[in-house]
Amino acid sequence: MDSGELHSISNISKDVFDEYLSTYAPLIWTMSKRRGKDKLVELDKFRYGEMEAFRSSEPKRHMELDDVKKLVNWKILHGKYRPSLMKLVSSNDEEVAKKIIQDAMAQYWVDSDVMKAIDGLAKLRGIGPATASLLLSMHDPDRVIFFSDEAYWWLCCDGNMLIPIKYNAKEYKQLQTAAEDFAKRLQVGAQDIDKVAYVIMNDIRRQPDYVADEPPTFAEKVKATTPSVKIATRKRESGVSQTTETASAKRKGGSATDTNVDSPRRSQRLKTS
């Protein structure tokens, strides 16, 4: 699995694809341990194991709000952290949510219209095209791809993670079309394409020359913009005296450095922001 053209969706072979696919589970385990969140492994088992209960026009059981919340939690831990998403999703009424999902899926099994099903599922509060695609992929994992950052970057952007994603229906249609074409070429399912995209894009992130697209954290911004403190002196007509900062510090029984450098308590607040 060398870098280069093997990462390209147009040139990757079935053997290399399968090799990447085999590393997905170990990657999830490693990421879960690194973040200290064993829950990711547990939720990943639910995401890819429980789909057997929902797939087909006659599912073993219907998806409920608790299932949606578990999937949203998986999405948050699996990708970018979006703390407000769970609050919005949890505000849905349980019975209303269940009916919205059932109605959308009933129509999907009649016409197989992916985009119409995405619109139907997006009636849920807090659910946009990306999360709606996750719910739909649980019902038809072979055909419907989850709108993940990694899948979009790999299938639609040639692996360029600096391209911003708007998470709208137009982009998802582009992704679904690309996934269907790719699936036909290698004879693979959409859920496996999503896993391989996740492995490949995370592999690129680990390369030494990778430039992160994530914005710096608040603490990193503060550290980068806080100037170093220097005790300056000025020449006055009557002689040389210390600056106001130095004099003020002395009156308080400290030094100029004490008045400017963040105290341990302030530094702790910045770290926990």
Side-chain angles (χ1 to χ4, degrees), residues 93-113:
D93 178 82
E94 291 185 8
E95 291 303 317
V96 172
K98 187 175 181 179
K99 186 176 188 308
I100 287 175
I101 297 171
Q102 287 183 16
D103 290 348
M105 293 315 306
Q107 184 63 40
Y108 176 76
W109 292 121
V110 170
D111 58 23
S112 300
D113 190 324

Side-chain angles (χ1 to χ4, degrees), residues 28 31-32 35 37-41 43-44 70-82 198:
I28 291 297
M31 294 180 70
S32 182
R35 298 174 182 178
K37 297 177 180 179
D38 291 336
K39 198 170 185 180
L40 176 57
V41 173
L43 289 170
D44 202 69
K70 281 184 180 180
L71 291 169
V72 168
N73 201 6
W74 171 85
K75 181 174 180 280
I76 291 172
L77 294 179
H78 194 260
K80 290 183 179 178
Y81 182 60
R82 296 177 175 88
Y198 191 77

Side-chain angles (χ1 to χ4, degrees), residues 154-167:
W154 188 48
L155 292 171
C156 302
C157 306
D158 294 325
N160 187 352
M161 288 181 280
L162 295 178
I163 295 179
I165 305 175
K166 298 177 181 178
Y167 306 102

Side-chain angles (χ1 to χ4, degrees), residues 35-139:
R35 298 174 182 178
K37 297 177 180 179
D38 291 336
K39 198 170 185 180
L40 176 57
V41 173
E42 176 187 338
L43 289 170
D44 202 69
K45 290 179 180 178
F46 173 82
R47 188 264 187 268
Y48 290 108
E50 192 63 19
M51 64 176 57
E52 292 301 323
F54 304 125
R55 63 191 306 168
S56 85
S57 58
E58 297 181 358
K60 296 178 181 178
R61 70 181 183 87
H62 292 290
M63 184 176 285
E64 300 180 353
L65 183 59
D66 282 344
D67 298 312
V68 176
K69 289 161 68 174
K70 281 184 180 180
L71 291 169
V72 168
N73 201 6
W74 171 85
K75 181 174 180 280
I76 291 172
L77 294 179
H78 194 260
K80 290 183 179 178
Y81 182 60
R82 296 177 175 88
S84 62
L85 183 58
M86 182 60 76
K87 185 177 180 180
L88 287 170
V89 172
S90 299
S91 67
N92 284 283
D93 178 82
E94 291 185 8
E95 291 303 317
V96 172
K98 187 175 181 179
K99 186 176 188 308
I100 287 175
I101 297 171
Q102 287 183 16
D103 290 348
M105 293 315 306
Q107 184 63 40
Y108 176 76
W109 292 121
V110 170
D111 58 23
S112 300
D113 190 324
V114 172
M115 298 311 299
K116 187 184 292 185
I118 293 295
D119 289 340
L121 292 168
K123 292 178 182 178
L124 290 164
R125 191 176 297 116
I127 303 297
T131 309
S133 71
L134 175 58
L135 305 186
L136 185 57
S137 70
M138 290 290 288
H139 294 83

Side-chain angles (χ1 to χ4, degrees), residues 1 8 66 92 97 161 177 185 197 221 225 272:
M1 295 189 301
S8 170
D66 282 344
N92 284 283
M161 288 181 280
T177 299
R185 185 174 78 81
K221 286 181 180 179
T225 57
T272 57

